[in-house]
Amino acid sequence: MRIVLTMKERTNPHIPIEAEKINPAFLMWGTDELTVWEGNKERRLDEVFEIEMEGTATSVNEVEVVLRGDTSRVKRVGEYMDGGRITIEGDIGMHCANFMAAGTIEVMGNAGGWFARELRGGTVICRGDAGHYCAAGYRGEKKGMRGGKVEVFGSAGDFTAEHLFGGEVIVHGNCGDMPGVDMQGGFLTIHGDCSRPCGNMTDGRCMVLGCASEMLPTFKKQDEVNGPDGLSLTHFTGDVANRGKGNLLVRCYQYLE
Amino acid sequence: MNELLVKNAYVIDPINHIDGEVMDIAVRDGRIVEDVGPQAEVIDAEGCLTLPGGVDSHTHVCGTKVNFGRYMSPEDMRAGREVRRGVKHATSGYSVPTTYANSYRYAIMGYTTLLEGAMAPLEARHTHEEFSATPLQDMMANTLFDGNWGVMKAVSEGDIERVAAIVGWTLSAVKGFGIKLTNPGGTEAWGYGKDLRCIKDEVPHFGVTPAEIIEAMIQACEMLRLPHSVHLHCNNLGTPGNYACTVGTFNLVPDLNKKRQSLYATHVQFHSYGGSDWKTFRSKAEPVAYTVNNRPQIVIDMGQVMFGKTTTMTADGPMEFNLYRLHHNKWSNHDVELETGSGIIPVLYRKKNLVNSIMWAIGLELGLLVKDPWRCLLTTDNPNGAPFVKYPEIIALLMSKKYRDAEFATVHRRTESRVDLPALDREMDWNEIAVMTRAGQAKALGITGIGKGHLGLGAEADIAVYPLKVGEIDPAQEYQKIIDGFARAKWTVKRGRPVARNGEILVHGENTTIWVDPKISPEHDMSRDPKFTEMFNHWYSVRMSNYPVQDEYLKRNLRIETEATI
């Protein structure tokens, strides 16, 4: 089953749309009853999107959803998704793939903040850049992402993989400030640069293949190890300030002057 | 003229010695009267259990530390979300919900009067502002005096009249209701890096001991003729072996008042621990309950712990620091200049945890071992032991041995060797539950005179009708019906107006803040006392003229004036 949702022309394209119903589990039963919120107005799905549907599905895994047009203000797409596939041809708004448990989401453009927050499983890919709090936890909650895989081919913002508890996060570009802060498990790989990685980390492994600026002094230097592509990485453990046993591997680093 | 008739009510009203009588209750203009005219609005109770509106004599629902609990736990707001509907505001939160959520949930459970357990005098405005946003319950605030410099100085000088004068002035300045002592002296001592282990340790720089503070305050409370007694959170909360300190404190208390207790000891579950460390931790509810049974001048509340997530908050800063060292979760501590402090941390009580399981058992043991239900009241110290929405489960646990045994089978298996709970056969009846949840609380707070906690003529028309047919249910067997019934009142009537029905909120409501204004002779008026004003201007960061809470902060309010003997 293939569902193509094309964004219609909007009078004010800046008003955010809350679209947690864009999820294969709902769409496979038809779109007649589904609504989204545009600002403070509740709209039927077909008021906002042109809907094309082909075929039928017996399980959620047979559903493929495609989002077209200017979807950069559409929020909560694929929230609690438990199977199937969503492809977003342009940009996507905040909170895409929250709490997702299974399936695949692929964003061809950029993703907004809180991308793949508290992911439990499945695969989430962003071909462009991701915003702040990519693959992070929620404010106040102790455990963040618990499983699955997040891959960002561009750069990610601040607090990437904050409170990471399980699963794998790969950022091919740079990260902002404090990636992997409060990490308690899982794997975080940053191919580019970042600043102040892994503060308060207690467990898990973070690899920075670029340069870590403002490196935290509360990490204990262990030895040199061989990383991917023959790169030599410096191995740290910490965060000592939190009696942490995490591993932080960086290619080059710089302490704050 | 606003009239209401509650028909066919199966009334249990312990204060008026009514134990299960089918009758009609007539209400005019918010008061219970003999009869009403034919135009009165009629509620048919259909023979269901009808009690006076619930009274919670110790809860934390309003004020700065509750609000800081909200700040530091944004994740708590993910639970209990409800959208705005009709008269209802949107709500969210579970252990530290929004003020409206507190109010609605209490109303749905049939509660109409609440006592905020601890208000720091300096931060009273915040408490009163939140009172005005708790629309369906009448509110009172116990005022903290545990580390009050003026009080401690007067105690060290042995001048009880001055203690009373300071308390009286502060109460009327901040519109408080009664005296709360939280770990007296302990929080202040901790400010100097010292910890008081029990009532005989000295507070640094002040030369007083908690025992002296407690004794002086009990006397001062009687001098001011306050409706409520001293409300004490004993020293050394939550440490193994602290029961000795608790019993020692109880033995200090003289019997000074014929009408009510002389000391209200709150959340005694947290103070009934035996053992010398966490490994040998065990219940000592038995000696504590024995002391209470033998000393009629003491009333306690359970402070029951129920399993699940919650937030602990207290003015007992050092205790919260110890908890933080145990849990390593987020933690907040706060100092209120010259007065008190506070601490907050979120906790999770787990059945798999031996200590938590023992704590759960201790609360129930206290409830069952204190023979007189008038002297052991049902609370969880909301939200410290559990959020108040767990009250129906506690009621069922007290009423059904079968339910206790079923629950006991699910807790940590080594609990059995550390507690006496399985040996207790007592099953409470409806009347005892009515005492523990409203009548006893109203009597202990001294508010029966203003018409709280009973349904006699002239009483405030706070009525809760529960969907429970007393004759048809066997509480010992059908405990699930008890839980469901007490969780959702059929009708909750507040001041003669139905405010909740079967879980639905019907009106926006307007509450009353009840506060006490002791009338003190001019020679003891602290606002004119040179030494006190000097102390105030020298140490406080606010001016004395800006300290009292202005009348604008109180909307509808009831001032109880007392004739102090000083």
Side-chain angles (χ1 to χ4, degrees):
Chain A
M1 185 182 196
R2 189 177 148 90
I3 301 157
V4 182
L5 303 173
T6 311
M7 192 72 155
K8 286 182 180 170
E9 194 79 12
R10 288 204 287 159
T11 40
N12 185 349
H14 290 289
I15 296 176
I17 294 174
E18 301 261 342
E20 68 276 10
K21 294 284 156 61
I22 300 183
N23 177 342
F26 297 115
L27 290 167
M28 68 181 284
W29 303 109
T31 58
D32 296 347
E33 314 245 304
L34 301 184
T35 58
V36 295
W37 286 82
E38 184 181 20
N40 58 3
K41 304 268 187 327
E42 194 171 11
R43 306 243 190 252
R44 284 207 323 278
L45 198 61
D46 58 10
E47 287 180 73
V48 183
F49 295 97
E50 303 274 6
I51 303 170
E52 291 167 51
M53 287 174 100
E54 286 168 32
T56 54
T58 50
S59 92
V60 72
N61 293 321
E62 295 164 25
V63 180
E64 191 193 347
V65 182
V66 179
L67 258 69
R68 281 194 186 135
D70 177 16
T71 50
S72 61
R73 304 290 283 178
V74 182
K75 290 156 73 178
R76 296 182 192 276
V77 169
E79 193 171 63
Y80 291 103
M81 183 162 136
D82 55 359
R85 185 183 169 87
I86 298 179
T87 309
I88 296 139
E89 298 190 347
D91 300 344
I92 194 69
M94 288 196 283
H95 294 284
C96 178
N98 286 183
F99 299 106
M100 181 172 141
T104 308
I105 291 184
E106 188 170 0
V107 183
M108 298 303 180
N110 300 329
W114 304 101
F115 184 58
R117 163 167 70 81
E118 292 173 270
L119 193 76
R120 275 111 198 242
T123 309
V124 186
I125 298 162
C126 174
R127 301 276 170 199
D129 298 338
H132 297 310
Y133 292 97
C134 170
Y138 185 70
R139 292 267 157 82
E141 202 79 79
K142 270 193 109 177
K143 286 181 189 171
M145 173 172 152
R146 295 173 199 210
K149 186 177 171 185
V150 177
E151 196 163 3
V152 178
F153 285 88
S155 295
D158 297 343
F159 296 100
T160 301
E162 183 211 30
H163 286 288
L164 184 67
F165 189 74
E168 190 178 5
V169 181
I170 302 164
V171 179
H172 289 275
N174 301 326
C175 275
D177 199 17
M178 294 205 189
V181 66
D182 274 305
M183 244 175 99
Q184 303 148 69
F187 302 102
L188 168 62
T189 309
I190 301 164
H191 286 266
D193 305 335
C194 65
S195 63
R196 294 194 284 181
C198 295
N200 232 13
M201 167 191 223
T202 51
D203 209 343
R205 196 190 72 184
C206 172
M207 229 169 11
V208 182
L209 302 176
C211 277
S213 56
E214 293 181 47
M215 177 74 192
L216 297 169
T218 51
F219 279 83
K220 203 166 155 194
K221 197 164 156 185
Q222 301 291 346
D223 47 8
E224 299 285 317
V225 294
N226 279 328
D229 302 331
L231 292 171
S232 169
L233 304 176
T234 314
H235 179 204
F236 291 89
T237 54
D239 183 330
V240 178
N242 200 22
R243 291 181 287 178
K245 294 179 181 64
N247 296 300
L248 171 60
L249 302 112
V250 293
R251 188 164 68 82
C252 65
Y253 60 95
Q254 218 171 14
Y255 288 109
L256 193 65
E257 289 293 310
Chain B
M1 207 161 59
N2 192 351
E3 293 186 335
L4 176 78
L5 184 68
V6 183
K7 270 171 58 182
N8 301 322
Y10 182 93
V11 175
I12 295 181
D13 178 6
I15 287 177
N16 293 311
H17 310 289
I18 299 171
D19 187 7
E21 207 178 291
V22 179
M23 55 201 275
D24 297 349
I25 304 170
V27 177
R28 185 177 305 123
D29 295 332
R31 294 269 162 189
I32 291 174
V33 292
E34 201 79 57
D35 50 23
V36 285
Q39 280 86 34
E41 188 189 343
V42 176
I43 287 176
D44 192 353
E46 294 164 346
C48 289
L49 176 67
T50 303
L51 301 174
V55 182
D56 199 336
S57 56
H58 189 99
T59 179
H60 299 278
V61 286
C62 293
T64 39
K65 73 180 169 315
V66 181
N67 208 36
F68 204 84
R70 295 183 188 119
Y71 275 142
M72 68 188 266
S73 297
E75 80 280 9
D76 189 64
M77 292 295 164
R78 302 169 95 174
R81 286 190 184 175
E82 279 178 49
V83 293
R84 182 179 68 92
R85 197 172 67 238
V87 293
K88 243 182 99 185
H89 287 246
T91 65
S92 67
Y94 173 64
S95 66
V96 274
T98 57
T99 53
Y100 288 106
N102 273 325
S103 192
Y104 298 152
R105 288 175 202 167
Y106 262 123
I108 287 167
M109 282 166 49
Y111 275 74
T112 52
T113 309
L114 308 177
L115 175 107
E116 160 58 41
M119 170 174 81
L122 189 63
E123 292 166 354
R125 282 179 181 78
H126 190 142
T127 310
H128 286 296
E129 280 179 328
E130 291 199 5
F131 278 2
S132 63
T134 309
L136 303 177
Q137 282 81 24
D138 289 345
M139 305 297 287
M140 295 161 275
N142 265 352
T143 310
L144 289 160
F145 288 98
D146 52 80
N148 193 296
W149 287 18
V151 166
M152 286 200 290
K153 220 165 238 156
V155 171
S156 73
E157 289 160 6
D159 190 349
I160 308 292
E161 289 190 352
R162 191 175 169 82
V163 174
I166 293 170
V167 170
W169 178 81
T170 312
L171 277 182
S172 64
V174 303
K175 318 286 194 257
F177 178 74
I179 298 169
K180 172 75 186 288
L181 298 175
T182 297
N183 186 1
T187 308
E188 191 62 31
W190 193 59
Y192 297 99
K194 298 279 185 329
D195 198 14
L196 302 189
R197 301 299 296 176
C198 198
I199 51 172
K200 298 291 182 197
D201 293 358
E202 209 175 88
V203 184
H205 306 292
F206 288 94
V208 294
T209 63
E212 288 165 1
I213 298 175
I214 294 165
E215 285 178 314
M217 285 302 240
I218 290 173
Q219 287 179 40
C221 183
E222 300 310 326
M223 282 180 179
L224 293 169
R225 299 226 173 103
L226 300 184
H228 187 37
S229 68
V230 168
H231 196 105
L232 175 71
H233 154 143
C234 295
N235 299 85
N236 214 7
L237 180 144
T239 46
N242 64 5
Y243 82 100
C245 184
T246 310
V247 171
T249 309
F250 288 178
N251 285 331
L252 288 177
V253 182
D255 192 357
L256 296 179
N257 195 310
K258 291 287 148 270
K259 272 163 71 187
R260 55 150 170 82
Q261 77 283 1
S262 298
L263 180 81
Y264 180 105
T266 189
H267 43 71
V268 175
Q269 177 273 129
F270 291 108
H271 303 276
S272 306
Y273 299 161
S276 49
D277 55 27
W278 293 112
K279 287 204 180 87
T280 55
F281 186 77
R282 59 164 294 121
S283 162
K284 283 285 179 185
E286 207 271 317
V288 173
Y290 178 82
T291 313
V292 175
N293 282 335
N294 284 319
R295 297 185 73 81
Q297 61 269 45
I298 292 167
V299 166
I300 64 169
D301 73 53
M302 290 162 72
Q304 173 67 11
V305 157
M306 296 296 274
F307 299 106
K309 248 183 172 177
T310 190
T311 308
T312 69
M313 52 181 65
T314 164
D316 193 344
M319 191 283 293
E320 291 283 1
F321 176 61
N322 290 332
L323 261 185
Y324 162 71
R325 289 197 297 191
L326 221 60
H327 291 277
H328 264 280
N329 202 340
K330 44 195 167 187
W331 164 56
S332 138
N333 246 91
H334 177 58
D335 177 54
V336 183
E337 55 187 43
L338 282 78
E339 285 170 355
T340 178
S342 73
I344 307 156
I345 75 162
V347 295
L348 173 65
Y349 294 114
R350 293 179 308 145
K351 288 184 174 180
K352 279 184 189 163
N353 181 309
L354 177 60
V355 169
N356 293 165
S357 300
I358 297 170
M359 288 164 86
W360 170 82
I362 293 173
L364 293 172
E365 284 177 1
L366 285 171
L368 298 165
L369 285 168
V370 175
K371 289 182 190 130
D372 183 359
W374 292 91
R375 297 204 287 117
C376 183
L377 309 172
L378 192 153
T379 68
T380 57
D381 186 16
N382 164 62
N384 288 304
F388 61 85
V389 290
K390 297 273 190 186
Y391 285 179
E393 284 174 49
I394 302 171
I395 292 172
L397 285 165
L398 291 171
M399 291 183 98
S400 167
K401 166 93 171 123
K402 188 180 164 195
Y403 184 33
R404 285 203 296 275
D405 289 345
E407 282 290 295
F408 199 83
T410 65
V411 302
H412 194 286
R413 66 193 154 75
R414 295 220 308 278
T415 311
E416 193 155 8
S417 59
R418 314 284 186 96
V419 304
D420 305 321
L421 184 65
L424 301 177
D425 290 331
R426 184 174 171 191
E427 288 180 335
M428 298 221 170
D429 61 26
W430 300 97
N431 192 53
E432 286 171 317
I433 294 298
V435 172
M436 284 181 83
T437 55
R438 47 263 294 158
Q441 317 227 6
K443 189 178 165 218
L445 293 175
I447 51 173
T448 49
I450 58 168
K452 294 287 184 187
H454 68 101
L455 298 172
L457 289 182
E460 190 124 319
D462 295 350
I463 306 164
V465 184
Y466 294 100
L468 295 161
K469 296 261 166 87
V470 170
E472 295 168 20
I473 298 173
D474 177 8
Q477 299 299 322
E478 298 167 284
Y479 49 79
Q480 191 57 45
K481 285 190 182 163
I482 302 291
I483 299 175
D484 298 341
F486 279 107
R488 184 181 272 205
K490 199 174 154 76
W491 289 96
T492 304
V493 177
K494 174 91 200 76
R495 215 185 312 127
R497 198 156 59 137
V499 295
R501 179 189 188 178
N502 295 330
E504 288 294 319
I505 299 298
L506 305 175
V507 294
H508 179 66
E510 189 191 9
N511 71 352
T512 307
T513 300
I514 303 164
W515 61 288
V516 175
D517 189 10
K519 220 163 117 190
I520 298 171
S521 63
E523 66 264 30
H524 285 104
D525 184 356
M526 278 296 133
S527 60
R528 286 187 230 148
D529 183 276
K531 251 168 76 193
F532 189 73
T533 43
E534 212 276 322
M535 187 273 294
F536 212 105
N537 293 335
H538 191 264
W539 294 108
Y540 266 105
S541 63
V542 291
R543 282 173 189 274
M544 199 168 174
S545 54
N546 289 334
Y547 185 81
V549 173
Q550 295 92 326
D551 290 338
E552 297 91 89
Y553 283 84
L554 292 134
K555 299 251 163 56
R556 195 174 193 282
N557 69 93
L558 177 71
R559 172 164 153 264
I560 301 178
E561 204 176 28
T562 65
E563 293 288 337
T565 57
I566 52 161

